[in-house]
Amino acid sequence: MSKQPVIFTQNISESIDKILSCYTYDKLFILTDRNTFRDAFPLLVDSKSCSNTQQIVIEADDTHKNIEALTSVWKVLSDGHATRRSFMINLGGGMVTDLGGFAASTFKRGIRYINVPTTLLGAVDAAVGGKTGINFNGLKNEIGVFNPAEAVLISSIFFKTLSREHLLSGYAEMLKHGLISSIDVYDKLLIPDFSHLDLDKLLELLEESVKVKEHIVEVDPFEKNIRKSLNLGHTIGHAFESLSLKRQLPVQHGYAVAWGLICELLLSHMLLGFPVNRIRQLSAFIADNYGTFSISCNDYDYLYERMTHDKKNESDNVNFTLLKNVGIVEINQTATKKEIYAALDLYRDIFHL
Ligand code: GLY
């Protein structure tokens, strides 16, 4: 898989035009969801290339990252006489870049595309690294391919209007990147007052965080080994996300990851001796900024069942990426049901639940 350029830009219209000028294409399509069509697309007003595109607009949010939305994108491409020489821009959060990347990768066996993430979560994770796909049969990202965008263009112009919740959701993935990379990167992220974090500082931290992911993807694009480190916090985080949906009180993905990180660091402590003071420090940051996700022992069976359904597991033990310390990653670790329940007990102790 070729290296995917990730470009940070102050002038998104100019950067899009510059990238597109490197390609010959017959037609340009731009995929947005209803929200990014309304809020983000008008910010590309100065782009000459974008003044002459065919629009594809889909419904917003992860529940629409499905086969119906995918079919609707293929239909516009087909009706719009897209060819293999056509080009697509995915402008949106992770849902748009995942689904758009998959639509582009499969239409006529693949047309080229770029990602322009409009959320912090998209910029730090989904848009970068070539994973594309849709949810299917009740399972997240069940169908998809690895196929990187020609480029990812990141501009903070889209972040200015994001809510604190959306910023924190993306920030959880940045914390994860810090934990798996080095104490240097990680410590900078534990800022005392998140609500006063200015956009320039956020961008500086984001750039460093994206580099962590770029490096991992470059070494292991198809997730055979070290890319699994990016799953830290996600096995339990996804189970929390499912529980929140079951309770009909959905939480943002990054929030579930933040709480999942604490549980998986507790498992890391139990199985690999990850230092307790580091867990206390992160728990305080997460409690202050994300609050807590309330669980009782009555939820354990459901949470465990969700973890064992995770596609990464080969037996009743659950597969995790764990840490010996910040920056010291151990992939392919397994934990028993008893160990997982003990970690959930400790999580409840830490957060006084
Ligand atoms: N979101 C994790 C990865 O890209 O591998």
Side-chain angles (χ1 to χ4, degrees):
M1 199 158 80
S2 56
K3 184 164 161 38
Q4 171 188 59
V6 180
I7 297 154
F8 282 78
T9 172
Q10 307 274 8
N11 187 334
I12 187 65
S13 295
E14 192 180 279
S15 298
I16 290 177
D17 288 349
K18 198 165 160 200
I19 281 284
L20 291 181
S21 70
C22 304
Y23 294 90
T24 319
Y25 55 88
D26 56 3
K27 292 184 192 70
L28 180 63
F29 293 80
I30 181 158
L31 176 71
T32 50
D33 64 33
R34 280 196 192 285
N35 297 335
T36 57
F37 176 67
R38 186 192 59 222
D39 300 331
F41 182 65
L43 300 175
L44 309 184
V45 64
D46 293 330
S47 160
K48 288 196 182 60
S49 343
C50 291
S51 64
N52 190 20
T53 56
Q54 298 192 47
Q55 296 282 346
I56 316 175
V57 186
I58 54 177
E59 295 299 327
D61 85 60
D62 204 69
T63 57
H64 295 104
K65 202 172 106 179
N66 58 21
I67 190 79
E68 287 77 23
L70 175 67
T71 310
S72 74
V73 176
W74 282 333
K75 177 95 170 67
V76 180
L77 291 171
S78 181
D79 290 348
H81 307 289
T83 71
R84 262 200 203 153
R85 294 178 64 245
S86 299
F87 208 102
M88 194 156 127
I89 302 173
N90 298 318
L91 177 70
M95 182 267 187
V96 167
T97 55
D98 278 9
L99 186 144
F102 187 55
S105 304
T106 45
F107 187 80
K108 291 199 188 282
R109 301 198 176 88
I111 62 175
R112 294 154 305 173
Y113 71 97
I114 59 172
N115 283 338
V116 183
T118 57
T119 61
L120 185 62
L121 186 62
V124 74
D125 190 25
V128 179
K131 279 188 178 176
T132 73
I134 57 164
N135 304 332
F136 182 70
N137 200 24
L139 297 164
K140 281 172 82 93
N141 303 320
E142 183 73 344
I143 311 288
V145 293
F146 287 97
N147 180 36
E150 298 295 316
V152 181
L153 302 185
I154 298 178
S155 168
S156 64
I157 194 170
F158 302 114
F159 306 157
K160 286 186 181 144
T161 50
L162 289 180
S163 65
R164 186 169 183 270
E165 281 68 32
H166 274 98
L167 288 174
L168 278 167
S169 188
Y171 204 76
E173 298 286 356
M174 291 169 60
L175 290 170
K176 178 194 78 180
H177 287 169
L179 282 164
I180 61 177
S181 59
S182 70
I183 286 177
D184 264 9
V185 175
Y186 175 65
D187 278 348
K188 278 185 240 165
L189 293 163
L190 294 175
I191 41 167
D193 188 358
F194 187 86
S195 45
H196 285 101
L197 176 64
D198 66 47
L199 210 52
D200 288 342
K201 181 72 190 161
L202 177 65
L203 218 56
E204 189 186 310
L205 296 171
L206 173 64
E207 214 163 325
E208 190 157 46
S209 194
V210 170
K211 282 205 180 85
V212 172
K213 177 155 185 185
E214 276 186 282
H215 174 68
I216 290 171
V217 171
E218 210 179 324
V219 176
D220 178 25
F222 300 111
E223 202 172 328
K224 300 281 184 225
N225 45 70
I226 195 61
R227 188 165 183 171
K228 291 182 188 172
S229 63
L230 296 171
N231 294 329
L232 181 71
H234 282 66
T235 308
I236 298 184
H238 280 151
F240 283 169
E241 220 174 338
S242 296
L243 180 59
S244 78
L245 286 171
K246 181 169 160 261
R247 290 173 174 169
Q248 297 189 324
L249 292 168
V251 296
Q252 298 232 23
H253 173 73
Y255 277 60
V257 169
W259 299 312
L261 282 173
I262 296 300
C263 293
E264 295 186 19
L265 291 185
L266 288 165
L267 263 183
S268 299
H269 170 69
M270 289 161 48
L271 302 178
L272 301 172
F274 185 88
V276 150
N277 60 333
R278 287 267 169 209
I279 303 183
R280 284 211 194 92
Q281 182 191 33
L282 184 62
S283 311
F285 181 87
I286 285 177
D288 280 356
N289 292 294
Y290 295 80
T292 53
F293 183 68
S294 179
I295 55 165
S296 78
C297 51
N298 297 330
D299 298 313
Y300 289 11
D301 288 347
Y302 175 82
L303 291 169
Y304 173 72
E305 190 266 335
R306 295 313 305 170
M307 291 175 219
T308 51
H309 272 78
D310 192 292
K311 58 183 176 293
K312 294 177 280 297
N313 297 305
E314 277 145 30
S315 71
D316 281 352
N317 289 344
V318 180
N319 198 317
F320 288 95
T321 290
L322 299 178
L323 299 184
K324 266 194 181 148
N325 205 331
V326 175
I328 307 180
V329 182
E330 298 286 327
I331 58 169
N332 299 330
Q333 299 298 300
T334 52
T336 62
K337 182 174 177 175
K338 204 169 155 195
E339 287 161 344
I340 293 166
Y341 283 29
L344 294 174
D345 280 343
L346 288 173
Y347 164 85
R348 285 172 56 216
D349 282 349
I350 285 192
F351 288 123
H352 312 293
L353 298 170

